[in-house]
Structure formats: C-alpha cells, structure tokens
Amino acid sequence: MGDLLTIDDLSIRHAGRPLVSGVSLSVTAGERLGLIGESGSGKSLTALAAIGLLPEGMTASGSVRLAGREVIGAADRDVVGLRGTAVATIFQEPLTALDPLMRIGDQIAEVARRRARRDGRSLSRAGVAAEVTALMARVALPDPARLSRAYPHEMSGGQRQRAAIAMALACRPRLLIADEPTTALDVTTQAEVLKLLETLVREENMGLLFISHDLPVVGAAVDRVVVLRAGEMVEEGTVAEVFGRPRHPYTIGLVEAARAFDRAIGAAL
Amino acid sequence: MTDAAPALAPPASRRLTPAFLVGAALVGLHVAVGLLTLVWTPYDPAAMTGGRLAPPSLLHWAGTDRLGRDLFTEIMIGARIALAVGSGAVAIAAAIGVTVGLLAAFASRAVDDVLAATLDILIAFPTLLLAMLIVAAGDGANLGTAILAIGIAASAIVARLTRILARRVLAMDYITAARVSGTSWLGIVRIHVLPNIWPTLIVNFALQFGLAVIAEASLSYLGLGAPPPNASWGRLLQEAQATVYTAPFGAIAPGIALVSLVIGLNLFADGLRDVADPTRRRR
Ligand SMILES: Nc1ncnc2c1ncn2[C@@H]1O[C@H](COP(=O)(O)OP(=O)(O)OP(=O)(O)O)[C@@H](O)[C@H]1O
Ligand SMILES: [Mg+2]
C-alpha cells in the first residue's frame, strides 16, 4: 500500500460534456508531483475528484484510490474517514479558504481537536492551545499569541496562506493537495511559502500534489510533473525531462514562453 | 518582506452609532413599559375613570376613550401585546425559517427547487389572508392565532434569506477545506454556516419584529387580532376612527406608540449589524 493516491483513467463529465478524460497519476510518500496546465484544463476538478468532492451534477469514472481505498462510487460517509487523515487541501485564494468570522487560532484548534478525537487521543484545552502555537510556529507565523486572536481580514495574504497551511498540517495528512497555493501572493511571499511547503513535505515525509499553471513555481516545488490540456494528459515525466525536452507542442509552447520571459529578464539585468 | 505583521484592530471596540443608541432607547422604553404593565398601570384598564372622550389632561395623559377608560393605560398594555406578538412571531419565523432555509441550502438541486418554489408561493401569500385562514381553521381570533399567522408568513422570508446566505457560505473554499478535513454536515452548520449568516439574520429578525408589530396592529384593526379586553394598538386605532374628527387624540397617541416602536426597531436593526459582525467593527 505504498501509494497515497492512485488515479487511473479518470474521466469527469458534466451534462454529457467531458471535462477530464483519461487522467492517470500516482503519488507516493515523500513524492512531490506537479499537475500543470492552462486555466480550465481540469486541474482543480482532478484534485476534487481525488477527495470525492466533485461539484453536484458531475460524474466521475475510472478509479481513484486514496490510501488504498476506492473513492469513486463510495458513499460520502466512507470517504469522510479518509479526508483529514489521508489527505488535506490548500487552496488558491487564502481569503476564501479561511472562515472570515472565526479567529485564526480557533480555526486551527478546531482541526487539531477533530484530529485528536479521531486518533482517540483526548486533548485538554491547554493541549489544544499548545498544539496551535506549535503549528503556527511550524509555518513561521510571527507572534502566535497575538495572531491567533486575529480574524483573517486582519492578516496579510502571506500570513493567511501560512494559516491555511497550518490548518492542513493540523490534520497530519499523509498527502497534501495544494491547488495553486501561491497564485494570489506576490513573488517574494510566493517564494517563502513554496520554501515552507517544500520543507514541510520533506520533513513530514508527506506526498504532495501541487497544482499550478506557473512553470518556474512548479519546477521549484516538485520532482515529477503531469501536463494537462483541455482535460487530457499530454505529457508526464520528471521536471528535467518535461521541461528540458518537451515533446508535446503545448508543453513546448509553455517552456518556450517561460524561456522567453527568462531571457527578457536576463537582458534587462 | 511582505509578511510583516499588520496593525491589528483594537480589541473588539464596538462602534455604537447614534442611530443605534436611539433605536435601542426607543425599544428599551417600550420593553420597560410593557413589563411594567404586568405589575402596575395608572388605572384599571377596564374601568371608567373619566368622562367619555375627554381630551388629554394631567389625570389622563392621552385622554379617555368613548367608554371613559384611560387611553394611556390601554396604550401601555398595547406595548406589551405588540412586544409579545413580535417576539412570538419572530421566534416562530426563526425556528421554521432557519431550519427550512438550511435544509434547502444543503439539499440536492431537485429538492431545493421544490422548496424554493414553495417559499416563493408562501411569500406571495398575504399575511392577512393567512391569518384569516388560520382564524377560520381554529376557534376564532385570539393572540395565539395572530402570532401563528404572522410567524408563519415571516418564516417564508427568513427561510429564503437563510437559503441564499447559506448557499453563499457553502460555496466558499473554507467549507471544502472543512469537508476535506472531515467535518460532518452538522459540524459545518454549527461551526461555519450559522456564525457567518448570523449577523445578517439577526438584523432581519429585528426588521421582521417591526413588521410583525405592524401586522398585529393591522389584524387587530380588522378584528382578527386579540379580542377586546386586550388593548392592541390596532384596536385602539380602529375605535378612534369613528371619532377622529371630534377626538383626534384617540388616534394620535396609539399612532405615536406604534410608529416609535417600529422606528426604534429599524434603527436598532441597522446598528445591530455592526455589533454582530466582527469584520465590520473596525474603522
Ligand atoms: N461547477 C462546475 N460546473 C460546470 N463546469 C465546471 C464546474 N467547475 C469547473 N467546470 C469546468 O471544468 C473545466 C475544468 O475546470 P477546473 O476548475 O478543473 O480548471 P483548472 O485547470 O483548475 O483552471 P484554473 O487554473 O483556472 O484554476 C472548465 O472548463 C470549467 O468550465
Ligand atoms: Mg483551478
């Protein structure tokens, strides 16, 4: 049972229209996989299908095995047990990923408490508070005592995303799905959050499914990539293979664009 | 570094606008008077204590009605009735409306469509008609039928609002995140949905309270509210109608009482939003 997530020939349809077809990928412990592709190519849907949370009206076929258990066709109650232990998710827009009316500390505590209950551990009030402080320190949020009492609108974008990562970590997942976690951040903060994710995944030996349309970001964050185009897999391989010797015209275009950008920057410097 | 700590808002410094304070004072006054009537009134509300249709005087601040009863006493008792009907109706509307609204928000598309259409029909149904049906179905008009009719009519509006608000919250990433981390439906309602829709709902409840007070006055005016020993403002207005040219004070005093309570409730409702929603407390 080495694979945390195995997707085999996944297809997603909505009202007869195929949105994703024939996607296969797998993530094992300690492995970092990138899912790239242009906007609307089906990256987020693939991630949602992986955790059995497709929007209403969509049907999935093929196979999705999360921690060795089939998700497609399973009852919600069977999948709930997997969510939050086998997998946790970080989203693109950190502001909507946090409850606007709940203090950050309470949001992290809620997840920590639920996780403890699932493990059959009983966590005292002080124990929860200690875990929240530890998690906030883990994601390098400054001054946990003060920030834990802040509401999301009182924090910066980077701090919000760190808080969201802390909540994901509170689940102690074995697989982390990050859907464009840095897109809403400026370049400096982006680099910091990427570094944080990379460190965490390595130290906790988690698997990472990293979704992005930004090549340099993906290149820095993952070992292998899967390229999606209009819902279909067009290429797969290590970062060096795919970015070094792209085969599909679409990937070639992506890499060319990134290179041109680098050259322009280089010329300007 | 962009991650520098932003200045935090001062801890929960609640902004109390003058409008909110005026509203709270008006509502508070009515509540105080209503409670007072439980233990004391200037005169026995049923007793003839002065001349018929006597104008306002030091002895009878609002004058007397056509049977010589003290109008001020009756208006004070009217406050109690208005508040009882308002809180009863809002309690019914909140219980039914929030439950149905949440069910609709969580239901599948098909069930939601049916519920939404039903609510739209109910909302189009005049409160008066509903009240007449309930009175007809029950054993005559009384305070209870008025509360029930107004409460049921208001619950459709509360349900529709709850459904829309809850749907908006449920579409947020933090709900998906909560579901990914294994939160049950009930947990999501308790932890995320209710706290997030509460500030808007509570404001709506205060507005519904004002509408219920008006609805009760209308029902009583038409004889569909509480029967005579209960001095509803609507009944006082109806009785004053016959003598409005000779003794206008009979309509003015209950009118002022009714309008001041409804205005108070509306001002109170507006200010309540700022108190209830922590993201709006900041200046
Ligand atoms: N709820 C929905 N109902 C119908 N179609 C949808 C829904 N959500 C997404 N789609 C469609 O599915 C396709 C894939 O969407 P998806 O969100 O997976 O794209 P994405 O690759 O994540 O794009 P982005 O980079 O912009 O986030 C799009 O064409 C989109 O229009
Ligand atoms: Mg997406």
Side-chain angles (χ1 to χ4, degrees), chain A residues 12 27 93 113 119 132 171 180:
Chain A
I12 302 171
V27 186
E93 176 44 70
R113 218 177 286 126
D119 290 353
V132 169
C171 295
E180 313 204 29

Side-chain angles (χ1 to χ4, degrees), chain A residues 39-40 42-45 92 179-180 211:
Chain A
S39 188
K43 306 183 296 291
S44 297
L45 287 185
Q92 179 167 350
D179 190 350
E180 313 204 29
I211 299 177

Side-chain angles (χ1 to χ4, degrees), chain B residues 61-197:
Chain B
W61 290 2
T64 58
D65 67 7
R66 63 195 156 87
L67 293 178
R69 295 176 300 205
D70 181 48
L71 258 182
F72 198 79
T73 301
E74 294 190 272
I75 290 170
M76 284 175 67
I77 293 173
R80 186 178 79 209
I81 293 172
L83 291 168
V85 172
S87 32
V90 168
I92 291 176
I96 301 179
V98 173
T99 310
V100 172
L102 285 175
L103 286 177
F106 278 103
S108 67
R109 213 11 83 68
V111 175
D112 179 45
D113 284 347
V114 171
L115 277 174
T118 313
L119 291 178
D120 284 340
I121 294 171
L122 267 179
I123 288 169
F125 225 70
T127 307
L128 276 180
L129 197 55
L130 201 63
M132 282 165 65
L133 289 178
I134 292 180
V135 168
D139 48 5
N142 56 48
L143 210 57
T145 54
I147 292 177
L148 200 61
I150 299 170
I152 289 176
S155 68
I157 296 174
V158 172
R160 189 163 69 168
L161 179 69
T162 304
R163 170 177 167 273
I164 295 169
L165 293 172
R167 286 239 143 181
R168 199 180 304 152
V169 172
L170 288 177
M172 292 297 197
D173 282 343
Y174 60 84
I175 299 295
T176 314
R179 291 182 66 194
V180 176
S181 74
T183 315
S184 65
W185 283 117
L186 268 180
I188 284 177
V189 168
R190 185 176 58 79
I191 300 165
H192 297 295
V193 178
L194 281 180
N196 271 287
I197 67 177

Side-chain angles (χ1 to χ4, degrees), chain A:
Chain A
M1 205 195 76
D3 286 2
L4 301 177
L5 172 68
T6 311
I7 297 182
D8 199 20
D9 197 20
L10 170 72
S11 297
I12 302 171
R13 304 176 74 84
H14 176 69
R17 195 164 61 98
L19 297 175
V20 170
S21 32
V23 169
S24 303
L25 54 85
S26 72
V27 186
T28 55
E31 186 181 29
R32 301 172 302 159
L33 176 69
L35 189 56
I36 65 176
E38 65 194 344
S39 188
S41 56
K43 306 183 296 291
S44 297
L45 287 185
T46 304
L48 287 176
I51 49 182
L53 284 181
L54 278 178
E56 201 182 338
M58 294 204 184
T59 50
S61 59
S63 159
V64 170
R65 295 177 75 79
L66 196 57
R69 299 245 296 272
E70 183 60 48
V71 171
I72 292 181
D76 199 52
R77 124 176 58 86
D78 296 329
V79 186
V80 166
L82 292 177
R83 293 184 203 134
T85 51
V87 63
T89 314
I90 303 166
F91 294 92
Q92 179 167 350
E93 176 44 70
L95 192 53
T96 65
L98 299 171
D99 187 330
L101 292 189
M102 228 170 142
R103 295 177 198 278
I104 289 301
D106 294 343
Q107 306 202 34
I108 301 175
E110 190 58 43
V111 183
R113 218 177 286 126
R114 190 167 47 240
R115 178 66 224 229
R117 216 176 308 134
R118 286 210 171 164
D119 290 353
R121 286 179 292 144
S122 64
L123 216 48
S124 65
R125 193 176 281 266
V128 172
E131 190 161 338
V132 169
T133 312
L135 282 165
M136 290 181 75
R138 191 96 178 78
V139 297
L141 272 172
D143 197 356
R146 187 183 55 103
L147 263 191
S148 70
R149 301 197 39 79
Y151 289 98
H153 73 275
E154 296 169 338
M155 303 168 73
S156 74
Q159 288 174 338
R160 279 180 213 134
Q161 198 55 292
R162 284 170 195 273
I165 296 174
M167 286 175 66
L169 285 183
C171 295
R172 304 184 179 190
R174 291 193 292 135
L175 172 68
L176 192 61
I177 298 181
D179 190 350
E180 313 204 29
T182 60
T183 310
L185 306 176
D186 67 75
V187 179
T188 326
T189 319
Q190 203 170 47
E192 287 166 10
V193 170
L194 277 180
K195 182 109 191 52
L196 171 68
L197 268 181
E198 199 252 293
T199 314
L200 290 173
V201 167
R202 189 160 30 79
E203 289 178 3
E204 313 274 333
N205 198 30
M206 290 187 281
L208 175 69
L209 179 60
F210 189 94
I211 299 177
S212 180
H213 55 244
D214 191 341
L215 279 198
V217 166
V218 175
V222 305
D223 320 308
R224 284 195 310 127
V225 286
V226 167
V227 184
L228 281 191
R229 172 95 207 266
E232 298 188 19
M233 262 171 84
V234 294
E235 204 151 348
E236 180 193 7
T238 64
V239 171
E241 279 166 14
V242 173
F243 291 177
R245 273 169 273 113
R247 290 189 306 264
H248 191 275
Y250 171 66
T251 326
I252 295 174
L254 272 182
V255 173
E256 267 311 309
R259 288 231 179 87
F261 183 73
D262 280 349
R263 271 198 303 275
I265 296 265
L269 289 179

